[in-house]
Amino acid sequence: MSWEVVIGLEVHAQVNTNTKAFCGCSTTFGATPNTQTCPVCLGMPGQLPVLNREVARKVALTGMAIEGNINALSKFDRKNYFYPDLPKGYQITQLFLPIVQKGLVHIQDKHGNEKSVRIHQIHIEEDAGKSMHENSEFVSHIDLNRSGIPLMEIVSEPDMYSADEAVAYLKSLHQLLKFLNTSNADMEKGQFRCDANVSVRRKGEPLGTRAEIKNINSFRFVKQAIEYETQRQIELIEDGGTVVQETRLWDSVKNESRSMRGKEEAHDYRYFPEPDLPPLKLSDEELAEIRASMPELPHQMHTRFVSDYGLSHYDAEVLSTSRDLAAYYEALVQAHPKDPKQAANWLANELLARLKEINTEIADSPVSASDLASLLARISDNTISGKIAKDVLDDMLKSGDAVDAIIERKGLKQITDSSAIDDMIQGVMDANPAQLEQYRGGKDRLFGFFVGQVMKVTKGKANPKMVNQRLKEMLKG
Amino acid sequence: MPFSNLEELQQRMQSGESNAVAIARSYMMRIQEQNANINAFVHLDQDSVIAQAQASDEHRKQHGARLLEGLPIAIKDIFCTRGENTTCCSNILKGFVPAYDAEVIRRLREAGAVLLGKTNMDEFAMGSSNETSAFGPVKNPWDTDRIPGGSSGGSAAAVAAGFAPAALGTDTGGSIRQPASLCGLVGLKPTYGSISRRGIIAFASSLDQAGPMTRTVTDNARLMSVMAGQDAGDSTSMPVPHANTWLDACGKTDMKGLKIGRPKEYFIEGIDPEVRQRIEDALAQCEALGAEIVDISLPHTKHATAAYYVIAPSEASANLSRYDGVRYGHRTEDPANLDDLYSISRDEGFGEEVKRRILTGAFALSSGYYEAYYTKAQKVRTLIRQDFEKAFEQVDIIATPASPITAFKIGEKTNDPLTMYLADIFTIALNLAGLPGMSQPCGLANGLPVGLQWIAPAWQEGTIYNAASAYESATTWHTQTPEVKS
């Protein structure tokens, strides 16, 4: 019997509110350590948490987007453990009655088939601070700027059966959060962190014992860590051993995981209801308001792009990967409604490739949607050819100049005067009598040679359609 | 003067006979002379007191008097006071100076009060005798061999000894009412949610409430009307209805039409017969004032103490985790590693009773025991609340003894925590139910004060003030004072 890996994922995504979950401190990333703190998030005596309702609203919106059940009443709990970067000695979280229960995240499996990963729950919790041990072996530094930053923990059911599916799930979730604008989900800033529960079984057997792998903070590491863990467990069992329930830490430098603590050393977090916070209530009006703020989601956008703009599924997929890209595309089509497919080609194939070379996000593109639209307009009105337009786009990215200014500066304007084109064709025919004779003798494939010659003479500026048409007529003689 | 009440002091300032500075000085002089006998104060910054009093006199001159203008109020050391030591009478917070005022303190300052130092208390408010303080026990001014009650023992003793006309306390299981009873004062624990807990060092968050300890019912209502009110910084605080009627509620001189419940579970064996007699006398007095006494039952009372000693320590075990030696407070010298830093700092910083409760709480919450202890205790809590709800369908208010006994000797119960825990047997149920309760003086037993406890439905402090002021108007127990030797 062949082996099957079963994966469940826990994602900690930072909710992108301006202030922390339970106090008014700023959440801006990268500030000088301990400058974004107050008595509440420092855990000073007598200080009390007050929920930032925006956190609840954003998490509820996320729950609605995954078709989850939003609890109109949810509760907070305390998770107790000692660590120097946990100022109160407990973390406020939601264990017994979280804000979101159930839900679905849609992905494609490796055969391209649609499948849904079930969500167990999404709950609100606060982040801990950061401990830094790098400078000395005797001293640790603690930065509490992160203490109290709002997180949503998104817990999936064990519904993924390969590392690739796990990555597809994470990418889909990542995209969704960004679309919803409920998390910036910047992995490099630790705003989207993942723990994986991995077990193996022979197909058809009940679930095996799982190991939890912590600290996997990029899509690539998730794939590597899961593949490593799958292999480790299979080898262990095939060698006659058994998998033990444990927590393992992924080392992305050594590409391996190591045991952090076993079941026996597992913390008893002594969860109990947080007495400082009343239950979180969301009224029908508030829930309706949140639901009304739901933006178009990636799969809806995809469908609309196919039906409204006649895009291929592939192009629709590419253009709906991010809200910024989709917004760019829609602005482009609005400014140049003539040919949405052409617009999609230019954006997805030409501009994105060039931006990638200069490491630039679409939101920061030096060529705006209206700039690109005017380039497309010049193709449509035959001022320049598509081929020349690619050079103009290069120039636009480099110089920042407007399309018409570049065409003017470089003298790229297409020749559309039919008598001028006729003259040039005549000149080429005169200069190549042998080829002309062969063509007229039936060697049709020489047509391309003549096109090339005309283009050469006009430095590519002659309108290709007209050249084609006139050449055909004139070559006939 | 030392035994003046707030009303009298206010009149003297209003008439120009005295001023805030003179009043503050005279109390401080008395404290200086006699505090060593009583140990009521653990921190008193004379310069700060004088500066506040001067500012108050200035305010009276410039803008007129506010509700508590120039009145000195002693503060239990559990309230954070900006720039002044706040230790909860624990070694783990020795030297801690908060950068913020508790919301209640802010309200007192805004009303013109002069904060008269910090009073002794059981460490982290865990105790019923004020013997667990890191600053040593407080002595009862009525008999300095005896305890003043706890945990607000320093506040009670300070007022009883004439060191202050009024004080702030906190009450988690009786910590205002029991010492008020044992020291002969009026002490109110208001409805849970009336007074912001922000800046009050937490013991058990779902039970803690601050309240005033005064000589008279009117003084109590005056302080309450300043202290109560919703605070956006405490999510468990609520809008307080009728707060503006409390002072007027104190004008009552009869109890006509008032139905007073007498719960049989509070008149049990084990209660000191003398205490019981004083309460029966008080109820007879109420009848004479026009009240109807109705026998009622609160059947789950006997489980209150057990439930309390699961819930309060459970919450405390988490609330006290922040005292870890990392950011502030006591840190042991040269710990070998992180675990040592935690365990040795906490071992050195916390006293025996606090450790006992942290351990009890951590055990009750631990995996495998949670359902049997914490969940069950919460169920008992619901039953106790329902007991009261049912009782209040029959009666307007309930009267009981505040404490089954009068003040006991220092050291008498320190080795027997379970007996000690029974000291709060009559006060604990209200905290579990979130209800308001007051202890008011109703005579002496064995030469020591006895307290009558009033219990009202939530948000009905006005009913308590009605009844208590009527009783006060017909008796003189509240005017009795101990003789304090210097």
Short mmCIF file of all heavy atoms in Angstrom, two decimals, chain A residues 346-380:
data_model
loop_
_atom_site.label_atom_id
_atom_site.label_comp_id
_atom_site.label_asym_id
_atom_site.label_seq_id
_atom_site.Cartn_x
_atom_site.Cartn_y
_atom_site.Cartn_z
N TRP A 346 -0.98 42.83 -23.11
CA TRP A 346 0.07 43.83 -22.86
C TRP A 346 0.43 43.94 -21.39
O TRP A 346 1.59 44.07 -21.04
CB TRP A 346 -0.35 45.19 -23.42
CG TRP A 346 0.02 45.28 -24.86
CD1 TRP A 346 -0.69 44.86 -25.92
CD2 TRP A 346 1.28 45.78 -25.36
NE1 TRP A 346 0.00 45.05 -27.08
CE2 TRP A 346 1.22 45.62 -26.77
CE3 TRP A 346 2.43 46.33 -24.79
CZ2 TRP A 346 2.28 46.00 -27.61
CZ3 TRP A 346 3.46 46.72 -25.61
CH2 TRP A 346 3.39 46.55 -26.99
N LEU A 347 -0.60 43.84 -20.55
CA LEU A 347 -0.33 43.94 -19.12
C LEU A 347 0.38 42.68 -18.63
O LEU A 347 1.45 42.75 -18.01
CB LEU A 347 -1.64 44.16 -18.37
CG LEU A 347 -1.58 44.13 -16.84
CD1 LEU A 347 -0.52 45.10 -16.32
CD2 LEU A 347 -2.93 44.47 -16.23
N ALA A 348 -0.23 41.51 -18.89
CA ALA A 348 0.29 40.27 -18.31
C ALA A 348 1.63 39.88 -18.93
O ALA A 348 2.53 39.43 -18.21
CB ALA A 348 -0.73 39.16 -18.49
N ASN A 349 1.76 40.04 -20.24
CA ASN A 349 2.98 39.55 -20.88
C ASN A 349 4.09 40.60 -20.98
O ASN A 349 5.25 40.29 -20.77
CB ASN A 349 2.67 39.02 -22.28
CG ASN A 349 1.65 37.89 -22.22
OD1 ASN A 349 1.60 37.16 -21.23
ND2 ASN A 349 0.83 37.79 -23.24
N GLU A 350 3.72 41.81 -21.31
CA GLU A 350 4.76 42.82 -21.55
C GLU A 350 5.13 43.59 -20.29
O GLU A 350 6.28 43.58 -19.84
CB GLU A 350 4.32 43.80 -22.65
CG GLU A 350 3.98 43.13 -23.97
CD GLU A 350 5.12 42.30 -24.55
OE1 GLU A 350 6.30 42.65 -24.29
OE2 GLU A 350 4.83 41.32 -25.25
N LEU A 351 4.15 44.26 -19.71
CA LEU A 351 4.49 45.12 -18.57
C LEU A 351 4.98 44.32 -17.36
O LEU A 351 6.01 44.62 -16.77
CB LEU A 351 3.29 46.00 -18.19
CG LEU A 351 3.58 46.97 -17.03
CD1 LEU A 351 4.68 47.96 -17.43
CD2 LEU A 351 2.35 47.73 -16.58
N LEU A 352 4.23 43.28 -17.00
CA LEU A 352 4.61 42.51 -15.80
C LEU A 352 6.01 41.92 -15.93
O LEU A 352 6.79 41.94 -14.97
CB LEU A 352 3.60 41.39 -15.52
CG LEU A 352 2.28 41.82 -14.89
CD1 LEU A 352 1.48 40.59 -14.48
CD2 LEU A 352 2.48 42.73 -13.69
N ALA A 353 6.35 41.43 -17.12
CA ALA A 353 7.69 40.87 -17.32
C ALA A 353 8.75 41.93 -17.10
O ALA A 353 9.79 41.68 -16.46
CB ALA A 353 7.80 40.29 -18.72
N ARG A 354 8.48 43.12 -17.64
CA ARG A 354 9.46 44.20 -17.48
C ARG A 354 9.57 44.66 -16.02
O ARG A 354 10.66 44.97 -15.55
CB ARG A 354 9.08 45.37 -18.39
CG ARG A 354 9.40 45.10 -19.86
CD ARG A 354 8.72 46.12 -20.76
NE ARG A 354 9.11 45.98 -22.16
CZ ARG A 354 8.65 45.04 -22.98
NH1 ARG A 354 7.79 44.14 -22.54
NH2 ARG A 354 9.05 44.98 -24.23
N LEU A 355 8.41 44.71 -15.33
CA LEU A 355 8.43 45.13 -13.91
C LEU A 355 9.20 44.11 -13.08
O LEU A 355 9.92 44.46 -12.14
CB LEU A 355 7.01 45.29 -13.37
CG LEU A 355 6.22 46.48 -13.91
CD1 LEU A 355 4.79 46.46 -13.33
CD2 LEU A 355 6.89 47.81 -13.56
N LYS A 356 9.04 42.86 -13.43
CA LYS A 356 9.72 41.80 -12.69
C LYS A 356 11.23 41.99 -12.79
O LYS A 356 11.95 41.82 -11.80
CB LYS A 356 9.29 40.44 -13.24
CG LYS A 356 9.53 39.32 -12.24
CD LYS A 356 8.98 38.01 -12.72
CE LYS A 356 9.45 36.90 -11.77
NZ LYS A 356 9.10 35.58 -12.28
N GLU A 357 11.68 42.36 -14.00
CA GLU A 357 13.12 42.58 -14.21
C GLU A 357 13.66 43.68 -13.30
O GLU A 357 14.80 43.63 -12.87
CB GLU A 357 13.40 42.96 -15.67
CG GLU A 357 13.49 41.76 -16.58
CD GLU A 357 13.51 42.17 -18.05
OE1 GLU A 357 13.90 43.33 -18.34
OE2 GLU A 357 13.11 41.34 -18.88
N ILE A 358 12.83 44.69 -13.05
CA ILE A 358 13.31 45.79 -12.20
C ILE A 358 12.75 45.68 -10.78
O ILE A 358 12.80 46.64 -10.00
CB ILE A 358 12.99 47.19 -12.81
CG1 ILE A 358 11.48 47.31 -13.12
CG2 ILE A 358 13.82 47.44 -14.07
CD1 ILE A 358 11.07 48.73 -13.53
N ASN A 359 12.25 44.46 -10.46
CA ASN A 359 11.82 44.20 -9.08
C ASN A 359 10.79 45.18 -8.55
O ASN A 359 10.91 45.67 -7.42
CB ASN A 359 13.04 44.25 -8.15
CG ASN A 359 13.37 42.87 -7.66
OD1 ASN A 359 12.47 42.05 -7.46
ND2 ASN A 359 14.67 42.60 -7.49
N THR A 360 9.81 45.47 -9.39
CA THR A 360 8.84 46.47 -9.00
C THR A 360 7.44 45.87 -8.98
O THR A 360 7.08 45.08 -9.86
CB THR A 360 8.89 47.66 -9.99
OG1 THR A 360 10.23 48.14 -10.02
CG2 THR A 360 7.96 48.79 -9.58
N GLU A 361 6.67 46.23 -7.95
CA GLU A 361 5.28 45.76 -7.85
C GLU A 361 4.42 46.61 -8.78
O GLU A 361 4.74 47.76 -9.07
CB GLU A 361 4.77 45.91 -6.41
CG GLU A 361 5.47 45.02 -5.40
CD GLU A 361 5.23 43.54 -5.65
OE1 GLU A 361 4.10 43.18 -6.05
OE2 GLU A 361 6.17 42.75 -5.46
N ILE A 362 3.31 46.04 -9.19
CA ILE A 362 2.41 46.74 -10.10
C ILE A 362 1.94 48.07 -9.50
O ILE A 362 1.79 49.07 -10.21
CB ILE A 362 1.21 45.84 -10.50
CG1 ILE A 362 0.37 46.51 -11.61
CG2 ILE A 362 0.32 45.50 -9.32
CD1 ILE A 362 1.03 46.53 -12.95
N ALA A 363 1.74 48.06 -8.18
CA ALA A 363 1.26 49.29 -7.54
C ALA A 363 2.27 50.43 -7.67
O ALA A 363 1.91 51.60 -7.63
CB ALA A 363 0.95 49.02 -6.07
N ASP A 364 3.55 50.06 -7.83
CA ASP A 364 4.60 51.09 -7.93
C ASP A 364 5.08 51.27 -9.36
O ASP A 364 6.12 51.88 -9.60
CB ASP A 364 5.80 50.69 -7.05
CG ASP A 364 5.39 50.41 -5.63
OD1 ASP A 364 4.52 51.16 -5.13
OD2 ASP A 364 5.90 49.45 -5.02
N SER A 365 4.33 50.74 -10.32
CA SER A 365 4.79 50.79 -11.71
C SER A 365 4.98 52.23 -12.18
O SER A 365 4.09 53.07 -12.01
CB SER A 365 3.76 50.10 -12.60
OG SER A 365 4.06 50.36 -13.96
N PRO A 366 6.12 52.52 -12.81
CA PRO A 366 6.34 53.88 -13.33
C PRO A 366 5.41 54.17 -14.52
O PRO A 366 5.16 55.34 -14.82
CB PRO A 366 7.80 53.89 -13.78
CG PRO A 366 8.35 52.53 -13.56
CD PRO A 366 7.28 51.64 -13.01
N VAL A 367 4.93 53.12 -15.16
CA VAL A 367 3.97 53.32 -16.24
C VAL A 367 2.57 53.06 -15.69
O VAL A 367 2.25 51.94 -15.29
CB VAL A 367 4.26 52.34 -17.42
CG1 VAL A 367 3.17 52.44 -18.47
CG2 VAL A 367 5.63 52.64 -18.01
N SER A 368 1.77 54.12 -15.64
CA SER A 368 0.44 53.98 -15.06
C SER A 368 -0.50 53.33 -16.07
O SER A 368 -0.16 53.18 -17.26
CB SER A 368 -0.10 55.34 -14.67
OG SER A 368 -0.43 56.06 -15.85
N ALA A 369 -1.69 52.96 -15.61
CA ALA A 369 -2.67 52.34 -16.49
C ALA A 369 -3.04 53.29 -17.63
O ALA A 369 -3.22 52.85 -18.77
CB ALA A 369 -3.91 51.96 -15.68
N SER A 370 -3.12 54.58 -17.36
CA SER A 370 -3.49 55.50 -18.44
C SER A 370 -2.33 55.68 -19.42
O SER A 370 -2.54 55.85 -20.62
CB SER A 370 -3.98 56.83 -17.88
OG SER A 370 -2.91 57.55 -17.34
N ASP A 371 -1.10 55.57 -18.90
CA ASP A 371 0.06 55.60 -19.81
C ASP A 371 0.00 54.42 -20.77
O ASP A 371 0.17 54.57 -21.99
CB ASP A 371 1.38 55.47 -19.03
CG ASP A 371 1.66 56.69 -18.15
OD1 ASP A 371 1.08 57.76 -18.44
OD2 ASP A 371 2.45 56.56 -17.20
N LEU A 372 -0.25 53.24 -20.18
CA LEU A 372 -0.28 52.04 -21.01
C LEU A 372 -1.45 52.11 -22.00
O LEU A 372 -1.33 51.70 -23.16
CB LEU A 372 -0.38 50.78 -20.14
CG LEU A 372 -0.23 49.43 -20.85
CD1 LEU A 372 1.07 49.36 -21.65
CD2 LEU A 372 -0.29 48.28 -19.86
N ALA A 373 -2.56 52.71 -21.54
CA ALA A 373 -3.73 52.85 -22.42
C ALA A 373 -3.39 53.74 -23.62
O ALA A 373 -3.80 53.45 -24.76
CB ALA A 373 -4.90 53.43 -21.65
N SER A 374 -2.63 54.78 -23.42
CA SER A 374 -2.32 55.64 -24.57
C SER A 374 -1.36 54.95 -25.54
O SER A 374 -1.39 55.21 -26.74
CB SER A 374 -1.80 57.02 -24.13
OG SER A 374 -1.02 56.94 -23.00
N LEU A 375 -0.55 54.05 -24.99
CA LEU A 375 0.30 53.27 -25.89
C LEU A 375 -0.57 52.35 -26.78
O LEU A 375 -0.38 52.29 -27.99
CB LEU A 375 1.29 52.43 -25.06
CG LEU A 375 2.27 51.55 -25.86
CD1 LEU A 375 3.24 52.43 -26.66
CD2 LEU A 375 3.05 50.62 -24.95
N LEU A 376 -1.55 51.69 -26.11
CA LEU A 376 -2.44 50.81 -26.87
C LEU A 376 -3.24 51.61 -27.91
O LEU A 376 -3.50 51.13 -29.02
CB LEU A 376 -3.39 50.07 -25.93
CG LEU A 376 -2.74 49.16 -24.88
CD1 LEU A 376 -3.80 48.35 -24.14
CD2 LEU A 376 -1.72 48.22 -25.52
N ALA A 377 -3.58 52.83 -27.53
CA ALA A 377 -4.34 53.67 -28.46
C ALA A 377 -3.52 53.97 -29.72
O ALA A 377 -4.05 54.02 -30.83
CB ALA A 377 -4.73 54.98 -27.76
N ARG A 378 -2.23 54.14 -29.53
CA ARG A 378 -1.36 54.42 -30.69
C ARG A 378 -1.18 53.20 -31.59
O ARG A 378 -0.87 53.34 -32.76
CB ARG A 378 0.01 54.95 -30.22
CG ARG A 378 -0.03 56.34 -29.60
CD ARG A 378 -0.45 57.40 -30.64
NE ARG A 378 -0.89 58.61 -29.97
CZ ARG A 378 -2.17 58.87 -29.68
NH1 ARG A 378 -3.12 58.03 -30.02
NH2 ARG A 378 -2.49 59.97 -29.04
N ILE A 379 -1.33 52.03 -30.99
CA ILE A 379 -1.31 50.82 -31.83
C ILE A 379 -2.62 50.76 -32.62
O ILE A 379 -2.63 50.55 -33.82
CB ILE A 379 -1.13 49.54 -30.98
CG1 ILE A 379 0.15 49.61 -30.17
CG2 ILE A 379 -1.12 48.31 -31.89
CD1 ILE A 379 0.31 48.48 -29.16
N SER A 380 -3.71 50.99 -31.91
CA SER A 380 -5.02 50.89 -32.54
C SER A 380 -5.19 51.90 -33.68
O SER A 380 -5.79 51.58 -34.70
CB SER A 380 -6.14 51.14 -31.53
OG SER A 380 -5.96 50.34 -30.42
#
